[in-house]
Amino acid sequence: MEFSEHIKTANLEDVVLRQPLHPPSRGTLCITGHHLLFSDREEGCSRQVLLLLKNIDAIEKSTSGSSGTITIKCKDLRVLQLDIPGMEQCLNIAYSIETLSCLDCATEMYPFFYRPSDFGLQEQWGLSSPEKYYSQMKELHDKWRLSTVNRDYSVCPSYPPAVIVPKSINDDSLKKVAKFRQGGRFPVICYYHRKNGMVIMRSSQPLPGANRKRCKEDEDLLQAVIHDSDKGYIIDTRSSQQAMQALMTGGGFESKSCYSRWKRLHRQIERGKALQESLIKLVEACGDESHNMDRWLSKLENSKWLSHVQAALSTAGLLAECVERDGHSVLVHGSKGTDATLLISTLAQLIMDPCCRSLEGFLALLEREWVQAGHPFMQRCAHSAFSHARPQQESPVFLLLLDCVWQLWRQFPLAMGFSEALLLRLATEAYASNFGTFLCNSHQERWAQGVIKKTHCLFQTLLRPGERDQYCNPLYESTELAIWPSVHPQSLQLWRGFFLRWTQQTHHLAETQEKMRDMVIKWEKLALS
Amino acid sequence: MVSSVERPPTIPAGSQLILRCKDFRVYQILIPQERDCMDVHASLVRLSRPEKYSELYCMSFNPNVNKEEREDSWKLIDLMADYKRMGVPNNLWVSTAANSEYRVCDTYPSELFVPKSATPAIIVGSSRFRSRGRFPALSYFHQDTLAAVCRCSQPLSGFSGRCQEDEMMLQAVMKSNPGSEYIYVVDTRPKLNAMANRAAGKGYENEDHYTNIKLQFIGIENIHVMRSSQQKIIDVGEMRAPSMTDFLWGLENSGWLKHIKAVLDAGVFIARAVADEGVSVLVHCSDGWDRTAQACSVASILLDPFYRTLKGLMVLIERDWVSFGHKFSHRYAHLDGDPKEVSPVIDQFLECVWQLSEQFPCAFEFNERFLIAIHTQVYSCQYGTFLCNCQKERRDIRLHERSHSVWPQLWKDRAEYTNPLYKAEQSQSQGILRPNTTPYCFKMWKGLYNHMEKSTPPRQSPSDYLSTVKEETQQLEEELINHQERIAALMGKPITWEKIEVPRRRTSHLGQRHCGPDPPSTYTHPITSPTQDNGHALSSEPVNQEAQTKDPALSLPLGLHTHLKSQDPDDLSACSDLESGVADLSSRSSSGVDEGKDPNETASPPPDWKSKGNH
């Protein structure tokens, strides 16, 4: 496809750009297949704004007389305004932006065209995978094995080719278990707790349906996890009512009679459309400039976003409590096992495992638990809070994860090896990126589209020397202890850094982070000299 | 510090007392014998409500210093020096002796600054036309624009009254600012309240009678509204396991943040007028000692970086609050009196400063602990600084001879109160703070209102870490210079850079800063939870103190609250070495099942509390 078909006006002079934190500026606007470029050449100093069209969530156009105004609302919550002379040009530009920002074919997207000069495509792609995790965790080798039953993605299309399962369960059994789980997502191990040998498993819901079907292999698999004497917990991220309802549509839960050694706990985590609506309401509240405190607090409450943060953190806390304190293995799932399930298992690992809290460790965790585990990034992040399009599969689950991680980071400012800037960068990249990391919905799709061969890896890039300094936490002092977050409402705050990112206030806080970094660097220099 | 004592029904283990303190702490005491409990209760009720100043702790508190030191303690904060610092007196503002014997206004200080053209006759005339005689006087002079912040009380105008001297007085205020043609009169009350006051012969300035004034209402509510609002936010802080919805609804319903915003908005309006427009402002409310004090002092904080230093905040409180007759004893119930006079006026000022420090983390030399320490001292009466309702009263009871000033004590502990991120020079803003007062910028002040969090182990504090970093950086720099000098001396020539072995301290000082508190029970919901049965439910109870008195005292000393306090590991004022608490905690296992005792309690059981009858 030719992008030029969609570009009727490529260059335009005398455009006024208004953006937050900057005075308005006049310059040239340029639309390319993937970018909006604005350059202003006033008084010698030239400034450029380069915006990925993919980052644009919604545009609004208004015209008055012979000129028009386009308001651009981005997925990173920035709002820009372009004053364009000439009606026709204005409409042309708006058309191009509307069309090019909504391309839904992965290979047409910018990551396939992005070719930075300083490094080539042959660089290593990815940080972690179940294989790597298995080879690093020698303790696993006793009772667990790496299965390649899914090597051609036929058993579970959304799983990676290799997964870790109990040693005593063979591949044929796994195939049968997969048939008993939605989307074939049979229980796999995603975390091994070194301290006591307990594990976190994740899966999708079982499929007993209204007839209460059973699957012996599924029962055996879970039994194999806890051996004979022990018991285990299943954390279901739906309410018990929702789980009951799922029976009617062929889904369901692990009943007590069939899984006698497993204790089921229901903790409802909001997902899907409800979560998307929550984000929309919150962003709307943050944009309300009226100085009415009651209205703000009631809108904040009404958005329920912080309630979702609280629910996610407390469920993750519960999971970690089962593993770390009570010494039991846990299986976590909801219905599909690609959203809330990943959210909870990721947060629990951050709470318990110091290795996940370093910069590399955290990125590796994200790669394993989100990218490889089959979170459908493309569907979930197609649109953000401003879009007028009818919501389909969008849901800010990954953003909710980042918010929860930020809450942990704020409560334990020394325990995390990464900075708030990293979380902000990830929040932006998940929606619009130069890199292929968040493209597609599963490992299989990425493989089929050639993402790994033809795009660059975000995580590897973030770890390169120049970038890395920006994203590590100067105060980091690794601790072996679990970090138990407080989930009391007073301990949870609005993530100002993200939701109020384009206000002056956040600017001050960013400066403070800079100052902290400088202080520590100075101290380290002296201490080392 | 005790504000109320409750005696809930006796339980098998003994009788209970619940003490609610003025710093929002709640203590629960269990006493085995009911008779003892009743005795303690009676003592506490009587002793927590002293009737005379002489019963207050500051009158018997003796920090073991001699007379000269005590006198010096009162001299640490010198208001005249501060007026001099802001360039007063000068050819616009002069000192007046009119109130030297408190005859014109008994709630004002004896030393005041007024416009040069205001004659004693004008001052006296104006004071007769103002509630309680509180005539317009200088609060802050802004050297850069020559505009001033002045304060007074409401005029006794009623519906049509006017006073020539008062009009001349305002004219004089305007003339003292050569650059401007009008002044703002900021009435910090809601307009309705101000109008209602007219019926009582008071009210606000009629713009037709005064030449060149612009009247502005701000809408800070009165002390009664604030009192009940604070009670509501205290209740929010005490909720046991609220949902996010309960919490936010409670926060909204309390109205507290709305009031904080109103106070800050008042300060912002004044600061803008003075700094950006160069126009002088006259601030008043009803009597000019509550909302006026808030608005003027917030404006000073915004206008002048000096007031954002440790010393500066002391000076500011001493000037706008202590000297200008803020009724400390009434507002903070130092003596048993009218409960309707009590109101958290200075709490709101301190909270405004805290909200600002959250918005500008590098702009303040002091940290949150300093604000909380001042808050505690305002209520505790351990020192004489905040006693009485005005300067005259302090003189009449010879307060300075009978008690000590709090400021030297706070100054001595300044290391603990310093913000490591403080950046003195703020060139881009010329030192003026321009805060954003959009509602989303305001947060509940957890450090002051939240007991639940205080009762769990302290969280990681980046500022403590940075303080250590900063301190060590300085030490290392000094060492480096020392070494360089010595080498230079040895070699007989200057050396620019040398690799010098300095012991690496990172591990020694900073290694033990993490704590892994117990998993709070809040993850598990009481109804559906299977893990609830392991006894963790108690850990997040808001009542954070359970002490057993085997042999309770028949009469407890006034200083009881300090003993109680020192048992609490997180009390910022009592526990001077917070870090030791952190270090203690870091040694316990994160799964800690059995080590959940207060670190301080195990380290040093307070003898007074356990042994028989203290005194």
Side-chain angles (χ1 to χ4, degrees):
Chain A
M1 191 201 68
E2 287 297 319
F3 298 120
S4 57
E5 286 170 25
H6 300 295
I7 303 172
K8 288 179 190 156
T9 302
N11 274 298
L12 203 54
E13 298 283 338
D14 216 21
V15 174
V16 176
L17 172 75
R18 296 168 208 277
Q19 53 174 338
L21 305 174
H22 294 284
S25 52
R26 188 177 293 273
T28 310
L29 179 71
C30 179
I31 303 277
T32 71
H34 293 108
H35 288 99
L36 180 154
L37 175 69
F38 178 89
S39 51
D40 119 50
R41 269 164 291 155
E42 265 172 85
E43 283 143 33
C45 67
S46 81
R47 215 178 40 201
Q48 290 200 327
V49 177
L50 183 66
L51 188 69
L52 264 178
L53 291 174
K54 188 85 179 57
N55 193 353
I56 296 175
D57 205 23
I59 64 166
E60 282 155 24
K61 31 184 200 270
S62 66
T63 49
S64 67
S66 64
S67 70
T69 298
I70 300 179
T71 306
I72 296 176
K73 297 184 171 177
C74 299
K75 291 172 185 164
D76 62 7
L77 306 187
R78 190 167 17 161
V79 176
L80 310 173
Q81 208 180 315
L82 295 169
D83 295 342
I84 295 172
M87 277 271 257
E88 202 193 327
Q89 278 88 342
C90 177
L91 293 175
N92 285 346
I93 300 269
Y95 167 77
S96 303
I97 295 176
E98 266 170 346
T99 321
L100 293 168
S101 63
C102 296
L103 298 176
D104 49 10
C105 170
T107 50
E108 283 173 7
M109 290 181 186
Y110 189 61
F112 282 91
F113 299 84
Y114 176 60
R115 295 291 173 265
S117 54
D118 52 344
F119 53 104
L121 279 174
Q122 58 280 6
E123 304 242 341
Q124 205 192 346
W125 219 96
L127 295 171
S128 184
S129 63
E131 290 101 314
K132 262 192 199 158
Y133 189 70
Y134 188 76
S135 65
Q136 283 162 0
M137 279 279 178
K138 297 279 178 268
E139 297 91 332
L140 273 172
H141 297 195
D142 251 6
K143 292 175 183 151
W144 309 85
R145 68 186 181 95
L146 199 66
S147 164
T148 53
V149 67
N150 197 39
R151 69 186 85 76
D152 54 359
Y153 308 104
S154 61
V155 177
C156 173
S158 60
Y159 269 171
V163 288
I164 307 169
V165 294
K167 212 167 200 170
S168 56
I169 305 296
N170 60 32
D171 283 359
D172 288 339
S173 304
L174 288 178
K175 283 179 189 163
K176 287 183 184 146
V177 177
K179 293 218 171 70
F180 188 65
R181 293 273 170 180
Q182 186 177 359
R185 293 175 70 90
F186 55 87
V188 296
I189 181 176
C190 63
Y191 174 66
Y192 179 86
H193 197 50
R194 278 202 169 106
K195 266 185 214 151
N196 55 17
M198 295 300 137
V199 297
I200 301 178
M201 318 262 298
R202 54 175 159 72
S203 70
S204 60
Q205 64 175 345
L207 301 169
N211 315 332
R212 308 287 178 125
K213 269 188 299 188
R214 295 179 60 162
C215 171
K216 186 170 176 307
E217 287 77 8
D218 194 68
E219 289 163 30
D220 289 347
L221 193 156
L222 291 193
Q223 189 59 39
V225 173
I226 50 173
H227 319 298
D228 299 327
S229 53
D230 212 353
K231 64 170 186 169
Y233 283 102
I234 295 171
I235 293 182
D236 192 323
T237 62
R238 304 163 296 180
S239 67
S240 49
Q241 208 186 354
Q242 286 171 325
M244 288 297 277
Q245 280 164 358
L247 284 173
M248 297 304 127
T249 53
F253 50 88
E254 294 83 354
S255 69
K256 215 171 248 155
S257 52
C258 313
Y259 301 83
S260 55
R261 290 191 184 274
W262 290 82
K263 168 100 191 154
R264 209 157 22 84
L265 305 171
H266 289 276
R267 289 290 180 280
Q268 191 189 346
I269 306 290
E270 207 57 78
R271 66 198 91 205
K273 226 170 242 178
L275 195 60
Q276 178 73 8
E277 271 160 24
S278 171
L279 175 71
I280 292 172
K281 282 185 190 161
L282 178 61
V283 170
E284 198 269 324
C286 291
D288 182 352
E289 293 283 319
S290 81
H291 277 237
N292 186 325
M293 183 67 76
D294 291 348
R295 196 151 100 192
W296 157 249
L297 288 172
S298 107
K299 278 183 166 180
L300 182 62
E301 191 278 306
N302 193 37
S303 80
K304 298 278 182 236
W305 181 264
L306 285 173
S307 303
H308 302 326
V309 171
Q310 187 187 29
L313 277 172
S314 64
T315 308
L318 174 70
L319 169 51
E321 221 174 50
C322 291
V323 175
E324 148 95 29
R325 205 188 63 196
D326 301 344
H328 296 297
S329 288
V330 181
L331 169 68
V332 50
H333 70 72
S335 40
K336 282 190 193 154
T338 53
D339 297 291
T341 305
L342 307 181
L343 174 67
I344 300 311
S345 81
T346 308
L347 288 173
Q349 293 183 50
L350 275 169
I351 291 172
M352 287 187 288
D353 184 7
C355 305
C356 296
R357 301 185 211 129
S358 69
L359 180 59
E360 288 89 341
F362 179 59
L363 294 176
L365 177 69
L366 290 183
E367 170 132 35
R368 233 171 26 241
E369 287 295 89
W370 289 77
V371 179
Q372 303 240 355
H375 177 66
F377 276 100
M378 191 109 123
Q379 292 175 353
R380 298 288 180 262
C381 301
H383 285 289
S384 179
F386 292 120
S387 173
H388 306 302
R390 215 166 60 84
Q392 292 169 332
Q393 304 272 351
E394 291 84 0
S395 184
V397 190
F398 187 65
L399 191 59
L400 183 61
L401 169 84
L402 295 176
D403 195 332
C404 291
V405 175
W406 177 78
Q407 308 280 353
L408 276 174
W409 179 86
R410 209 187 56 82
Q411 288 186 21
F412 299 93
L414 315 186
M416 306 289 203
F418 47 87
S419 65
E420 183 177 9
L422 179 81
L423 300 175
L424 291 170
R425 173 92 188 252
L426 291 170
T428 310
E429 298 278 350
Y431 283 89
S433 178
N434 293 346
F435 302 92
T437 301
F438 295 122
L439 279 184
C440 302
N441 295 309
S442 65
H443 197 279
Q444 185 184 14
E445 279 183 32
R446 270 186 290 276
W447 190 253
Q449 312 268 23
V451 168
I452 291 165
K453 288 207 176 108
K454 296 181 191 159
T455 72
H456 290 279
C457 171
L458 171 67
F459 295 152
Q460 290 287 358
T461 309
L462 294 178
L463 292 175
R464 288 156 63 92
E467 304 251 358
R468 180 191 192 100
D469 297 343
Q470 238 179 305
Y471 298 118
C472 56
N473 175 7
L475 307 183
Y476 179 49
E477 290 269 301
S478 172
T479 169
E480 284 303 308
L481 301 175
I483 50 170
W484 300 104
S486 161
V487 296
H488 194 280
Q490 293 177 47
S491 310
L492 302 176
Q493 289 187 357
L494 177 69
W495 185 12
R496 287 175 165 71
F498 180 75
F499 292 105
L500 303 171
R501 191 172 183 177
W502 307 102
T503 62
Q504 194 61 40
Q505 204 216 350
T506 310
H507 208 61
H508 292 301
L509 300 184
E511 278 172 20
T512 309
Q513 294 293 331
E514 268 314 294
K515 169 127 198 217
M516 285 193 192
R517 185 180 301 279
D518 292 347
M519 278 174 71
V520 176
I521 290 171
K522 185 173 173 195
W523 165 70
E524 278 181 344
K525 252 191 204 154
L526 280 165
L528 283 173
S529 66
Chain B
M1 292 303 282
V2 175
S3 89
S4 77
V5 190
E6 279 169 44
R7 203 153 65 86
T10 308
I11 55 169
S15 304
Q16 297 177 77
L17 287 181
I18 294 178
L19 308 188
R20 291 181 188 280
C21 298
K22 292 170 180 173
D23 61 357
F24 319 122
R25 286 169 181 281
V26 180
Y27 297 103
Q28 189 178 338
I29 301 174
L30 188 66
I31 300 174
Q33 299 297 321
E34 187 171 7
R35 175 189 296 272
D36 297 335
C37 178
M38 284 165 68
D39 287 345
V40 173
H41 181 237
S43 312
L44 281 174
V45 167
R46 169 65 188 86
L47 294 172
S48 64
R49 283 182 216 143
E51 282 157 7
K52 298 192 293 277
Y53 286 127
S54 58
E55 289 175 25
L56 287 171
Y57 184 41
C58 62
M59 297 300 190
S60 47
F61 172 65
N62 187 353
N64 200 15
V65 294
N66 59 32
K67 188 160 165 279
E68 285 78 44
E69 282 175 278
R70 191 190 62 223
E71 281 166 6
D72 285 346
S73 86
W74 289 104
K75 288 179 192 146
L76 178 73
I77 300 303
D78 182 354
L79 288 187
M80 287 308 124
D82 187 51
Y83 282 113
K84 200 172 269 171
R85 186 191 62 84
M86 56 173 112
V88 174
N90 52 27
N91 59 356
L92 303 166
W93 294 90
V94 294
S95 170
T96 173
N99 202 39
S100 58
E101 281 303 311
Y102 308 106
R103 273 195 218 110
V104 179
C105 173
D106 60 357
T107 59
Y108 261 5
S110 55
E111 288 164 309
L112 282 165
F113 291 89
V114 292
K116 194 169 188 186
S117 55
T119 61
I122 291 179
I123 293 170
V124 172
S126 169
S127 84
R128 293 212 178 103
F129 189 64
R130 293 272 167 187
S131 202
R132 316 260 178 183
R134 294 171 69 91
F135 58 88
L138 181 75
S139 166
Y140 176 71
F141 178 72
H142 194 58
Q143 269 175 307
D144 296 347
T145 59
L146 304 182
V149 180
C150 302
R151 54 185 292 173
C152 63
S153 59
Q154 64 185 340
L156 302 173
S157 56
F159 289 101
S160 58
R162 57 191 292 184
C163 164
Q164 206 189 0
E165 288 93 344
D166 194 58
E167 287 159 28
M168 288 163 74
M169 186 72 184
L170 266 63
Q171 191 69 20
V173 170
M174 194 199 82
K175 275 195 215 140
S176 285
N177 181 2
S180 82
E181 279 152 13
Y182 59 93
I183 62 169
Y184 282 110
V185 175
V186 171
D187 189 327
T188 55
R189 298 168 295 183
K191 191 167 183 188
L192 264 181
N193 300 18
M195 284 164 75
N197 263 297
R198 291 204 295 191
K202 299 163 187 172
Y204 53 92
E205 291 79 359
N206 184 334
E207 281 177 286
D208 297 337
H209 295 166
Y210 294 82
T211 35
N212 306 321
I213 67 164
K214 288 190 181 178
L215 195 60
Q216 174 78 33
F217 292 96
I218 299 276
I220 305 176
E221 297 288 349
N222 64 29
I223 57 169
H224 312 296
V225 174
M226 299 308 190
R227 186 189 326 118
S228 77
S229 173
Q230 193 188 39
Q231 188 51 53
K232 285 183 194 154
I233 201 164
I234 294 169
D235 294 343
V236 169
E238 282 182 7
M239 287 197 283
R240 276 165 195 236
S243 69
M244 190 54 88
T245 303
D246 295 340
F247 171 72
L248 289 173
W249 190 84
L251 200 57
E252 180 189 339
N253 190 44
S254 76
W256 183 253
L257 290 180
K258 184 168 67 185
H259 301 315
I260 297 295
K261 175 171 152 55
V263 174
L264 195 54
D265 277 332
V268 169
F269 179 87
I270 298 166
R272 272 206 199 123
V274 168
D276 298 347
E277 296 179 55
V279 175
S280 294
V281 183
L282 176 64
V283 188
H284 71 71
C285 47
S286 297
D287 288 319
W289 50 42
D290 294 320
R291 287 168 273 199
T292 302
Q294 290 174 334
C296 290
S297 50
V298 169
S300 290
I301 290 260
L302 297 176
L303 284 167
D304 193 334
F306 172 66
Y307 298 120
R308 293 172 226 142
T309 63
L310 280 154
K311 212 44 165 301
L313 188 70
M314 297 179 185
V315 169
L316 183 63
I317 291 175
E318 190 71 37
R319 184 188 76 212
D320 273 341
W321 296 79
V322 178
S323 87
F324 268 102
H326 174 65
K327 304 203 293 175
F328 280 94
S329 283
H330 285 163
R331 293 290 177 259
Y332 313 112
H334 293 162
L335 300 181
D336 196 23
D338 183 0
K340 286 213 172 79
E341 282 280 327
V342 179
S343 187
V345 185
I346 202 164
D347 299 34
Q348 291 184 317
F349 164 67
L350 294 172
E351 180 160 341
C352 282
V353 179
W354 178 80
Q355 300 279 3
L356 286 170
S357 73
E358 285 288 294
Q359 220 176 106
F360 304 96
C362 303
F364 292 84
E365 188 191 21
F366 46 82
N367 57 20
E368 178 182 13
R369 279 180 217 154
F370 186 57
L371 298 172
I372 294 178
I374 293 176
H375 181 267
T376 306
Q377 294 301 343
V378 163
Y379 285 89
S380 77
C381 301
Q382 188 180 359
Y383 295 88
T385 306
F386 302 117
L387 228 55
C388 303
N389 294 312
C390 60
Q391 214 179 60
K392 177 167 182 289
E393 210 181 327
R394 284 182 201 107
R395 188 196 61 171
D396 291 348
I397 67 162
R398 296 179 295 112
L399 184 71
H400 288 201
E401 293 164 40
R402 296 165 69 189
S403 70
H404 302 264
S405 166
V406 71
W407 303 126
Q409 187 55 42
L410 293 176
W411 182 246
K412 208 179 84 202
D413 298 334
R414 62 187 172 276
E416 197 193 331
Y417 299 131
T418 306
N419 168 17
L421 291 171
Y422 176 58
K423 199 162 58 180
E425 76 291 346
Q426 295 220 319
S427 48
Q428 72 273 44
S429 61
Q430 280 94 40
I432 292 172
L433 290 188
R434 293 187 168 78
N436 182 347
T437 62
T438 320
Y440 56 61
C441 298
F442 293 82
K443 288 182 280 198
M444 179 167 173
W445 189 3
K446 214 170 84 175
L448 190 61
Y449 291 108
N450 192 345
H451 318 280
M452 213 101 93
E453 287 291 301
K454 282 193 227 165
S455 66
T456 57
R459 307 246 148 217
Q460 296 180 329
S461 157
S463 65
D464 284 351
Y465 182 91
L466 284 172
S467 295
T468 318
V469 163
K470 193 172 174 184
E471 212 173 276
E472 290 189 9
T473 307
Q474 269 167 10
Q475 273 178 20
L476 289 169
E477 272 175 345
E478 276 163 27
E479 278 177 46
L480 193 65
I481 291 168
N482 262 336
H483 284 282
Q484 281 175 351
E485 277 169 2
R486 274 167 54 193
I487 292 169
L490 286 171
M491 315 259 298
K493 61 182 179 190
I495 285 177
T496 46
W497 181 259
E498 279 284 326
K499 277 232 161 195
I500 294 159
E501 282 296 317
V502 178
R504 210 183 129 90
R505 283 152 212 255
R506 186 167 181 137
T507 42
S508 65
H509 282 208
L510 297 170
Q512 299 189 316
R513 248 148 231 283
H514 292 287
C515 60
D518 289 339
S521 63
T522 31
Y523 302 138
T524 43
H525 199 273
I527 305 160
T528 49
S529 155
T531 50
Q532 188 67 37
D533 49 336
N534 41 25
H536 263 261
L538 280 172
S539 67
S540 64
E541 293 271 289
V543 177
N544 56 14
Q545 189 68 38
E546 280 192 48
Q548 290 217 352
T549 30
K550 291 223 170 78
D551 193 355
L554 292 178
S555 78
L556 289 164
L558 273 167
L560 173 65
H561 54 266
T562 49
H563 301 312
L564 267 172
K565 251 172 36 183
S566 64
Q567 289 188 315
D568 190 85
D570 307 316
D571 185 288
L572 296 172
S573 55
C575 177
S576 65
D577 186 8
L578 258 184
E579 287 177 19
S580 68
V582 180
D584 271 345
L585 282 159
S586 69
S587 62
R588 61 195 261 212
S589 67
S590 66
S591 58
V593 187
D594 51 353
E595 297 171 331
K597 280 185 192 165
D598 280 349
N600 281 19
E601 209 165 49
T602 42
S604 57
D608 284 356
W609 187 236
K610 294 240 168 97
S611 69
K612 173 177 179 282
N614 302 319
H615 298 278

